[in-house]
Each structure stands twice: as structure tokens, then as C-alpha cells.
Amino acid sequence: MGGVHADSNAIACALGLTPSTVRQDFSHLPIRGAPKRGYNIRQMERALAGKVGIDSEKPAIVVGAGNLGRTLTLRTDLRRYGFLVRAIVDVDPAIIGARVGSLTVEDMSDLADIARTRDIEIGILAVPSSSAQSAANMLILAGVRGILNLTFARVVAPRRVFVVNDAVISSLLTLSWAMNRRRNATTARA
Amino acid sequence: MGGVHADSNAIACALGLTPSTVRQDFSHLPIRGAPKRGYNIRQMERALAGKVGIDSEKPAIVVGAGNLGRTLTLRTDLRRYGFLVRAIVDVDPAIIGARVGSLTVEDMSDLADIARTRDIEIGILAVPSSSAQSAANMLILAGVRGILNLTFARVVAPRRVFVVNDAVISSLLTLSWAMNRRRNATTARA
DNA sequence: TAGATTGTTAATCGATTAACAATC
DNA sequence: TAGATTGTTAATCGATTAACAATC
């Protein structure tokens, strides 16, 4: 009845999983399939969007207005998933006041005020690794609930604040390791 | 004798693991500890650097000279881990020829030549998601052994080419999901 | 020596997969 | 109806943890 459907096998192929895994995972979500037809795609989208939180707005602040911070602030696709960069701050007086898209770089010492008045939920760390923890501490004090850590430094936070690490360098290292493994395996076989 | 040591418990604390896991993992590497003293830090560094491949040079090309591509090319810390950005290319004639640090943006149609003459092993995808796969195909044909995919699109490649995905957006979604989970759990409890 | 810490084997745990009765 | 596909239970697998004899 109406709506486009996909069965667990098709979904599994698209994601590189087994049909079993797909059905097992869906059983934990408000997603019901129909025998002989599969899963309604619209329903899947809604359930997954709700689970991940794409469907709600999540105001964010970018800390650090270097190349990385500015690049991130200018990315428009974040908005599509509910992430709103409402402020960008830096410590460098030479950078404070500069325009970044529709925002102006503000003084990092105003971070707490900014976070409170603009309902900031997420802090994005784009500072040098050496100041990652101190910047994180300011975010934590300012009451953010989540931190995306783009530095290479490990950041500690109380349990109520979630930290996700996404340093490009660590992905590169994963790649390096995988390439290395292949080479070693080949060598060993030879 | 000599050298600074750390026992499995200290290492586990630092990494958020259990001492068992640390010892188990080390047993698969050329890292031997000494009862009552623990593991030699220098030896650990060497073994891990070798495993990950930090100790060898890995020439790379950045594909896409937008904000992200330029930012990445300018990052100096990649060098510390053996990643050498030897070229940056784009399709846009308006961008080709521009300076990015010590490099000049080159024409993407020269990608295969560039990759071969400069021994490129790694391709870094910093193009719009819509052209991710076609750019990846060019890299694959050019003979790279690994691709770091910074776009949000999924990229397919033959098994001999390793693909690692690192879209900032997916990390943000992980964060959003974690924050959501907390909220849902709290609501359910109430 | 006594005590601490390794390396390894066995136990536990969770996640992935297989299997199959229920059902459209 | 016959056949395909779900939802779920049971089996498998790998990874994490516990335990403990070996050893410095």
C-alpha cells in the first residue's frame, strides 16, 4: 500500500551488512516491515532521523578561527542536519572582529556569555592541540552538552558532556595502518 | 636496564582500557615487558610507529582546492607522521594556478601523470560529495593505494585500495545521537 | 626472598549471523 | 494457495576481561 519499500537484503547490500543485521537492528527501532514487501523507506527515514537527532536544531559554537574553524563555519551542509553554527570565537586580537560568512569572530573570553544567551549545545574545538583541554574546559563551564574535538589531543570531560574525536590525522593513521598491513601480509606470504 | 617504563595498569588508565587488554594487545606486537617494571616506553613507541607506519614517508595528493582542501594542505602536523602533501588539484580553471603554501593548484586532468611521477600513495578527497566517486575513480586509475574520503558520499573502490571515511558531519551525527540518547534515557526514567 | 607484574590460557560478554516459524 | 520476507530465537564468532603460573 503506497510508499516505496526496500527489503532487508537490498538495504544490507547498500550498507555492506547482512540482512540479518539489518533486521536485528531495525527491531530495536520503531520500524516495522511487511513480509513480501520489506520496509517503508519514508518510515525508515523518519525513525532514523529521530534516533540520530537530525530532526531537531542543535546550536553550535566554533572555537578557534584558524583555517579549520573558518572552513567549518562556512560549510552549509551542516545546516541540513540541524547543526547551526551560531558563533565563532578566537583568542587572537588580530582575528577577533573578522567576518566569517554571516558571523563575526568574537572574543573567546566572552564564550560563556555567548553560549548561554544563544542556547549553544555543541562546542566544536578547532584550536591548536596544545590549548584543546583549556578550551574544552571553557566549553564545559559554559554548559555545552557535547564537544566535537577536531584536535589531535585527547580531551577529558565530565560524563554529562559527550566528546567525539575526529582528527583528520587519526583517520590518516588508520589508512596508513591498513596500507601497511597489506604490505606486511604480502611480504610474509612471499 | 635504563629507559623509562610504564606498567600495563598505567597505560590502561591513560587510554581508558583495562590492563588485560593492554597486555593482550601488546602480545601481538614486538613489545616485551619486564615483570616488576612494565614496558619500555621507547620500545613501545618504535613498535607502534612501525605498526601504524608513521616511520615511513607516504606521499599524498589533495583533490579539491576549496576551503577544506587548502586547509588540509597547509597543515604542517601531517608531516610529523610521514604524510607529505606533494600536490593539490582542482577542476576549476579559476583556481588552477593559485598558490597554496609551497604548492600550486594543478589541473585535475593531470592527476594520473602527477600521481605517477611523484610516487603518490594516498589520495585525499576534498571535493563536493556529488563528484566524490568520479574523483575517486581517477585516483584509483592513477594507482593510489589508499583514499581518505572527507566527503559525505560513500565511495566504492577495488579491494586493493583502502578507503577511510572521515566526514566531519558523520562525527557530528555521532555526537547528536549520543546527546539524544542521554535525553531519551532521562525522559524514559522520569 | 617476597612481592609485583608479565604473558597466556580460560571465561565472559556482546555483537553478528543463521535458522525458521509466523504472516502477508 | 505458494512463495517470499519478516521478526525473533538460538548459534557462532570475536573481542574483552579475569585468572594465575612464570619470572624478575
Side-chain angles (χ1 to χ4, degrees), chain B residues 92-100 103-107:
Chain B
D92 185 352
I95 297 181
I96 294 169
R99 302 290 294 176
V100 178
L103 297 175
T104 301
V105 179
E106 296 174 78
D107 192 326

Side-chain angles (χ1 to χ4, degrees), chain A residues 50-53 58 67 71 81 83 145 148 152 159 162 166 168-169 171-172 175-178 180 183, chain B residues 50-53 58 67 71 81 83 145 148 152 162 166 168-169 171-172 175-178 180 182-183:
Chain A
K51 185 69 175 178
V52 175
K58 297 160 288 294
N67 270 310
T71 300
Y81 301 96
F83 300 100
R145 303 200 301 120
L148 175 62
F152 198 37
R159 285 198 329 152
F162 293 97
D166 178 36
V168 167
I169 186 69
S171 295
L172 273 173
L175 188 60
S176 172
W177 165 79
N180 227 16
R183 175 158 37 204
Chain B
K51 186 71 175 175
V52 175
K58 297 162 288 292
N67 269 310
T71 300
Y81 300 97
F83 300 99
R145 302 199 304 118
L148 175 62
F152 196 36
F162 293 97
D166 178 38
V168 168
I169 186 71
S171 295
L172 272 172
L175 188 60
S176 172
W177 164 79
N180 228 15
R182 165 60 60 87
R183 177 157 38 203

Side-chain angles (χ1 to χ4, degrees), chain B residues 161-189:
Chain B
V161 178
F162 293 97
V163 177
V164 169
N165 297 288
D166 178 38
V168 168
I169 186 71
S170 59
S171 295
L172 272 172
L173 292 176
T174 300
L175 188 60
S176 172
W177 164 79
M179 289 162 64
N180 228 15
R181 185 171 55 160
R182 165 60 60 87
R183 177 157 38 203
N184 292 344
T186 311
T187 309
R189 227 181 288 125

